[in-house]
Amino acid sequence: MSKLSGFAINEEARFRNNLAIRLTDCRITARDAIRSYRLHGDVVRVFYEVGIVILEPLRIASYLFGHLDGMNDTGTLCEVVPVLPTEDRAFVTAIGQLVDQLCTLWDTREEWESYNALVDVGAIGFRLFEAFGVHARPQPDGQAYINVPLQQHYACRVYAG
């Protein structure tokens, strides 16, 4: 990525705080949206409600890591996992993949023949949807088939310590 973030040098703390806020209770909020879906049955609504909860942390993480990369004088991006304010494996994986993909996009920015290079970024979001229990599959007519299967492993587990 670029080393061009001299215009926002004091923003790291704000990005970190925003990411922590966005990751707070994501599983619970998504689970509640899926429970609500079981009553209303509106797949577009559940896709939106879960999406807003899980995609917003990806957006904020892209700002944070873009900023960290831009401020880094060594030319290498820091390790992603220690910086994340969550132990949720789905987010750790998705944000790690996002950072890798954004670095690749930046490094190949002069070589893009189309915006199809961005498709892999979107795929990260769809995999995160699936990890949270909402499955979306493209259809030949350009629409999407959205399925929210009943599965126990999507339940949020809270451990008292």
Side-chain angles (χ1 to χ4, degrees), residues 2-108:
S2 165
K3 308 300 175 247
L4 303 173
S5 18
F7 60 87
I9 38 183
N10 297 320
E11 295 299 305
E12 181 179 342
R14 186 172 67 91
F15 290 144
R16 287 179 186 275
N17 186 50
N18 268 340
L19 183 56
I21 289 168
R22 297 304 188 280
L23 287 167
T24 301
D25 298 330
C26 277
R27 286 277 175 184
I28 294 167
T29 305
R31 185 190 65 216
D32 290 347
I34 290 170
R35 278 187 185 153
S36 179
Y37 162 75
R38 301 286 175 226
L39 298 174
H40 62 68
D42 184 341
V43 293
V44 173
R45 179 176 160 188
V46 74
F47 192 77
Y48 173 79
E49 289 174 348
V50 172
I52 211 81
V53 170
I54 66 171
L55 296 180
E56 187 64 7
L58 294 183
R59 183 180 71 85
I60 300 299
S62 69
Y63 292 165
L64 171 61
F65 286 99
H67 175 76
L68 292 174
D69 188 52
M71 298 304 294
N72 186 355
D73 292 330
T74 66
T76 59
L77 187 57
C78 65
E79 174 71 25
V80 172
V81 175
V83 179
L84 296 177
T86 185
E87 293 181 12
D88 188 313
R89 294 305 312 159
F91 275 114
V92 170
T93 299
I95 292 172
Q97 291 170 344
L98 177 67
V99 169
D100 289 344
Q101 187 61 38
L102 292 175
C103 287
T104 298
L105 286 170
W106 179 260
D107 291 342
T108 61

Side-chain angles (χ1 to χ4, degrees), residues 115-133:
Y115 288 111
N116 288 338
L118 301 174
V119 168
D120 291 337
V121 173
I124 294 166
F126 279 102
R127 285 191 299 271
L128 191 57
F129 265 103
E130 196 161 305
F132 273 72

Side-chain angles (χ1 to χ4, degrees), residues 136-157:
R137 300 287 180 262
Q139 300 299 296
D141 65 357
Q143 300 290 314
Y145 174 74
I146 300 171
N147 184 26
V148 187
L150 286 168
Q151 295 186 11
Q152 288 294 47
H153 70 276
Y154 294 124
C156 177
R157 292 179 180 87

